[in-house]
Structures are given as structure tokens and as C-alpha cells.
Amino acid sequence: MNFSPEERAIGKDNFHEAVGVSRRAFLKTAAAAPALGAFYFGYEKLKGTPVKVGFIGTGDEGSVLLTQHPPDYMDIVAIADLRTSNLKRALTGDNNEHRVGLIKKLGHKKATSIKQYADHKELLADPEIEAVVIAVPLNVHASITIDALKAGKHVLCEKLMAQNITDCKEMIRVGKQANRLLAVGHQRHYSVLYDNANDLVKQGVLGDIKFIRASWHRNNSFPNADSWSKTIPAEDKKSDLDSRVSQYGFDSLNQLVNWRLFNKTGGGLMAELGSHQMDACSIFLGKVHPLAVQGYGGKNFYHVKGVGSKDKQNDPREIDDHVYVTLEFPGKHYAEDKNDIVIVTYSSINTNRMEPYGETIFGSRGTLVTELEQSVMLYKEAGGDTGGGGPGQRLRLVQAAAGGGGGVLSASPSLAPAGGGASASSSDEKVSRGYTEEMEHFCWCIRNNIPQDTPIDQHGLRCPGKHAMADAIMAITANLAMKHKKRIVFKEEWFDPDNPAVPETDPDIVG
């Protein structure tokens, strides 16, 4: 959304005011606490020695996780990657805050003592390792996760859980059989920012929610501007990896390096980006399963004659570069009235970065806007007994809702920040995206022998396999709806890990 700087500041202040009144837990207070996950989500800090962990995959996402890992909870003893350049990258980083490298994170002595493996099976044979973090191309999420579980390791696998739902169900089955934890890295489940926002939603502060708009927009139209299209590093070219990649599920070294661009190895924009938005929307709607999905996806920019620069016209990628999806979710009273439906729209494009990524929740009493996982803005709808509203109006939470539930937004006559203090929006502090917290809790669950199916309110995993499979079902079924150009109705048996039914082989979809 396009807000003026003042409207943006007011929206952030409104959110901080509402969070402070409703929960007495300001984000800055939580962010300053050691072991944020334990502090915020209410479990004890880890007792005993940190969990000995191996990292499988140290590329883009793996290096982010290495940077964010919590040493008080997690002792990295080994890393594995097929690519020599990625093993080096794990130690030295990318010279930025997102991927600092293990030497800077842990010190030279500790970082260089970490064992390095070129094959994940060698790492899994290491008896010292209790758990693994898997951040590899999507097409091998399932096979490596299953190898790890069978080797007796607990697993935190990056999202999307797997490339198809058959594999998701097999991962869950093997995890149960091995009696090991299976967590999936949808980090918004561990974001304090999102949890505070969701608390306001659950209280009913926004009123009736009938529409959520989500997006992840990028502009790769400029020459040589695309983070997904990578040059193969010289040290990888010099190795014999190109002759060996077929045994690991890849047709070429280029496909391994640029796996997001190919149908065989990736899942397109819905898997890589859209799954984050679908996960967030599902959280805001109470983790209900969607009813139906339809959409359009196409290769409208890359490899289109006369469109963009020459490198874009000659780009060989297979995945769609523009996707637009509409999902139907049940509202709170859908069981009694089938007209109670909430619509979620999602768009991901490659030719414009306006509205880069986030979600806008449109309620009958207010609007909540998340932006870049770093800020939330809250605005009131004008009208009724509570007076004015709109993006320029400061708010206050004035009364408990009926039954002692949440609060009601009211327009504030004050021109000062809603809380009466310094503007929350004036802070440039980075907000944790949840990576550290998900790894803290994963290790805490291991040390405390928390069973896989423990409920979240009893400190069980916040994104176990079953929850992550639901996110994968949404992303994969959206891809199928775009591929087959049809509206697809979701079936509850797809969401049952013990039922073999899956969307990718459903005759109502594929014929």
C-alpha cells in the first residue's frame, strides 16, 4: 500500500499501542531479551548442553540459518554440501548482515573445527550428531529428510516441506516410525511480530475479516538483475561435480546451482515465495484449511520476444514468472452458513517491486498491514460509535469486548504518538524474522523429549510436519489450478497424513 511517511508512522504507532494495551508485551522489550523464543513463548531456557547439530546445505538459505543459529542451544559440529563454494561460503559468509559466516559468528578456532562433508550421507553417519538442519534444493528435501530420520537424527527441514504431498506424508510416517522430531522452517510461526499481530486478529480488533491481500513483488527487468539466476562459481566448475550430479537428482551443475528455475528441481513462485504468504494467511485465519483455489500463472516476461533486455529474452527458465491466485477459506460461522467465506488473493510478479512482500488484512472495523516481516501498521475504519478513522488517524484501544475478549479501536484526539511516548516508528531496530527462535525451540524440544504431536499450547513444535504439509498442499494445489486452468476444491483427506489421497494424483484434477 502507498502511505505517506506520516501515515506509515501513525500506523506503526497504532499497532504498538494496541499491542501494549492488549498484551503488556512491547516488541522492543521482547527483542532485547536473551533467548527471545523462551522469553516470549513462555518456556524455560535450555538446560544442559547445546544440541549437536549438522547442517546439510550451506547455500543461500543455509547460510542465513547459520548466521541466525543460537549457539546457546545449538552446537554446530558438521556441515555438508555438494558444492565446494558453499562449504567455503559457510565459513566466510557474503560480507553482509544476512550471511556473516561461521568464522565471524563463532570465532576462527571453533568455525574451523567444524567437520566438512561433501555428501550428506557421510554427515549422517557421524554418531556425534543428534539433529540436522536441511536447506537444500526442493527436489531433495524429502529424500534427505528421510535419510536423516532413518539415521536417528531429529530434523528441521526448510520450507516448502517437499515437492509433492506423497513425499510429505512419507516424511511424517518415517518420523513417527523413527520417533524423531520433524520440524519445518516456516519461520513466521516463531515471529514475535506476527504473533502480536495475530493476537489482535484473534481478539476481534479488526472486526469481521472477509478479505486478505498478499503479495511478493520483485523487479528483475533490469539487465543482469535476478538473484535467482546465478553464475556457476569457478571452484565448482573446476571440480568433478558436473559428472556426479545425476546421482543426487540433478541433470547438470547448472540445474543444481539454479534449481529454483526448473520444474524438476523447484516449485516455482508459489513454493518459494507464495508458501510464506499462504502460511501467514492461514495463521491469521486460525489455521483452517482452504475450500478452493483458482488462478493464472504464465511465462509473461522471461523468454518473451521483444520484452525486456536481451538476457531476459534468452533466459531458459521453465517456471512461471507471474502468478495470480485466489483462495476461498471458511469464515468463523461457515459450518452454520456456507456464505461465510473469506477470500485471499496472492500475486507474485517479476516486473514491479511496488508492494514487495507482506499481507493486508481487511476487517470491518480495521485494517492491518504487515510489511517485509519488519513492521506492522494498524488503521481504523471510520464510523459507528468510535468516530473517525483512516490512515491518518491515531488510535487507542478503549474497552474490553463483550465477554472480556479483546478491545475496541477508537480514534484518538491526540496528535502525539498514541502511547503518549516516543514514536515506535522512529526506531530502526531490526525485528527478528523467527529463524533464531525456531532453532531455539527445535533444540529445546529435543533436550526436553517433547513428543512430535505435543500441542502448541503445551510448547510443542509450532510448525510440525502436519502443519507444514497443509502449507505445501496450498502451494502445490495452486500450481495445479494454474497448470490445468481450473478451480480446484480442496479435499480433507489430502490433509490427513495417514490417508494416501493427494492432489497431484487426484482424478478430479489430472483426469
Side-chain angles (χ1 to χ4, degrees):
M1 278 192 167
N2 294 322
F3 297 116
S4 70
E6 181 182 11
E7 290 170 340
R8 186 176 297 275
I10 288 171
K12 292 179 182 180
D13 288 337
N14 289 340
F15 173 67
H16 281 260
E17 163 71 1
V19 167
V21 170
S22 64
R23 307 193 81 184
R24 307 295 177 189
F26 290 95
L27 295 179
K28 279 183 69 174
T29 302
L36 172 58
F39 170 84
Y40 181 81
F41 292 111
Y43 56 89
E44 294 180 343
K45 191 175 178 181
L46 186 73
K47 295 178 180 178
T49 59
V51 176
K52 294 188 180 299
V53 173
F55 270 67
I56 301 174
T58 59
D60 287 350
E61 194 68 9
S63 289
V64 169
L65 293 168
L66 289 171
T67 296
Q68 295 290 330
H69 91 273
D72 289 345
Y73 286 70
M74 178 180 283
D75 178 15
I76 299 177
V77 297
I79 57 175
D81 201 292
L82 294 175
R83 297 170 55 193
T84 304
S85 64
N86 278 346
L87 290 172
K88 178 181 177 182
R89 184 185 192 186
L91 295 182
T92 60
D94 288 351
N95 295 316
N96 61 47
E97 63 178 319
H98 304 295
R99 302 177 182 91
V100 301
L102 288 171
I103 291 174
K104 186 173 182 179
K105 172 86 174 182
L106 301 174
H108 189 274
K109 182 177 180 180
K110 167 60 179 174
T112 54
S113 73
I114 294 172
K115 290 170 279 191
Q116 297 189 16
Y117 298 101
D119 189 304
H120 76 277
K121 291 184 178 180
E122 295 175 6
L123 181 146
L124 293 176
D126 188 335
E128 184 182 21
I129 294 172
E130 302 173 77
V132 294
V133 175
I134 296 173
V136 294
L138 178 58
N139 63 312
V140 288
H141 276 194
S143 60
I144 294 179
T145 293
I146 289 169
D147 285 346
L149 293 168
K150 288 182 176 180
K153 317 299 184 185
H154 301 281
V155 173
L156 170 57
C157 178
E158 253 308 308
K159 65 87 204 155
L160 198 65
M161 185 175 176
Q163 206 174 24
N164 60 69
I165 307 309
T166 301
D167 282 348
C168 291
K169 294 189 176 186
E170 179 67 3
M171 292 161 73
I172 294 171
R173 186 190 69 78
V174 173
K176 286 183 178 179
Q177 191 174 56
N179 194 28
R180 290 296 181 267
L181 293 180
L182 171 59
V184 181
H186 285 283
Q187 78 272 6
R188 282 168 177 77
H189 291 267
Y190 289 93
S191 166
V192 171
L193 190 78
Y194 270 80
D195 196 68
N196 275 279
N198 190 42
D199 186 68
L200 297 181
V201 172
K202 288 191 294 185
Q203 289 185 60
V205 168
L206 299 183
D208 294 317
I209 297 170
K210 305 304 295 180
F211 176 48
I212 301 177
R213 187 181 72 224
S215 64
W216 197 315
H217 296 168
R218 303 177 297 163
N219 192 340
N220 293 327
S221 65
F222 302 99
N224 303 310
D226 184 356
S227 62
W228 283 13
S229 183
K230 303 178 184 296
T231 301
I232 302 173
E235 52 203 305
D236 292 341
K237 285 183 179 180
K238 291 177 183 177
S239 70
D240 66 343
L241 186 54
D242 199 23
S243 63
R244 296 187 292 111
V245 292
S246 60
Q247 63 184 284
Y248 298 103
F250 302 90
D251 294 336
S252 66
L253 179 57
N254 178 57
Q255 192 181 71
L256 170 64
V257 172
N258 292 302
W259 60 272
R260 289 183 176 89
L261 307 183
F262 300 95
N263 293 326
K264 177 178 179 178
T265 49
L269 293 171
M270 285 306 304
E272 290 304 304
L273 304 181
S275 61
H276 283 297
Q277 262 65 57
M278 296 304 100
D279 181 48
C281 294
S282 175
I283 290 173
F284 289 133
L285 294 175
K287 297 182 181 177
V288 294
H289 296 156
L291 300 169
V293 61
Q294 56 192 313
Y296 168 83
K299 290 185 278 289
N300 306 140
F301 173 65
Y302 286 101
H303 208 64
V304 177
K305 184 177 180 180
V307 177
S309 55
K310 288 297 182 183
D311 64 308
K312 310 302 178 186
Q313 294 181 40
N314 296 327
D315 191 281
R317 75 188 58 206
E318 297 172 352
I319 63 166
D320 293 340
D321 50 53
H322 281 58
V323 298
Y324 310 89
V325 172
T326 300
L327 291 106
E328 302 160 38
F329 281 86
K332 290 182 179 180
H333 306 289
Y334 178 79
E336 294 80 30
D337 188 338
K338 295 300 186 285
N339 290 312
D340 187 14
I341 289 176
V342 181
I343 297 298
V344 173
T345 64
Y346 175 72
S347 59
S348 183
I349 63 178
N350 273 273
T351 52
N352 188 293
R353 64 170 58 92
M354 191 67 72
E355 298 187 2
Y357 75 91
E359 304 83 32
T360 302
I361 307 173
F362 297 87
S364 59
R365 296 295 180 267
T367 303
L368 187 144
V369 182
T370 71
E371 192 174 71
L372 301 172
E373 298 178 79
Q374 291 297 299
S375 60
V376 179
M377 291 164 280
L378 178 65
Y379 304 100
K380 176 187 176 297
E381 283 291 285
D385 297 333
T386 54
Q393 181 66 63
R394 296 190 184 278
L395 308 178
R396 51 197 170 105
L397 211 60
V398 293
Q399 66 185 67
V408 175
L409 295 175
S410 177
S412 170
S414 173
L415 296 179
S423 171
S425 61
S426 65
S427 171
D428 291 328
E429 283 191 25
K430 288 285 186 180
V431 174
S432 174
R433 295 174 62 193
Y435 289 118
T436 301
E437 293 71 41
E438 75 180 358
M439 287 184 277
E440 283 179 0
H441 191 232
F442 174 60
C443 292
W444 183 87
C445 287
I446 293 171
R447 273 290 167 268
N448 288 275
N449 297 311
I450 304 299
Q452 174 76 29
D453 295 328
T454 302
I456 290 174
D457 60 5
Q458 297 176 30
H459 302 310
L461 292 170
R462 300 181 71 83
C463 190
K466 186 175 181 179
H467 289 180
M469 184 177 74
D471 292 324
I473 289 171
M474 285 189 282
I476 288 169
T477 308
N479 278 340
L480 290 169
M482 291 184 285
K483 177 182 177 180
H484 295 287
K485 295 180 171 58
K486 62 170 64 174
R487 177 179 178 270
I488 295 176
V489 175
F490 289 89
K491 299 181 179 180
E492 273 304 306
E493 55 262 37
W494 298 346
F495 296 90
D496 180 358
D498 298 321
N499 191 312
V502 292
E504 60 264 20
T505 58
D506 192 296
D508 291 337
I509 299 175
V510 300

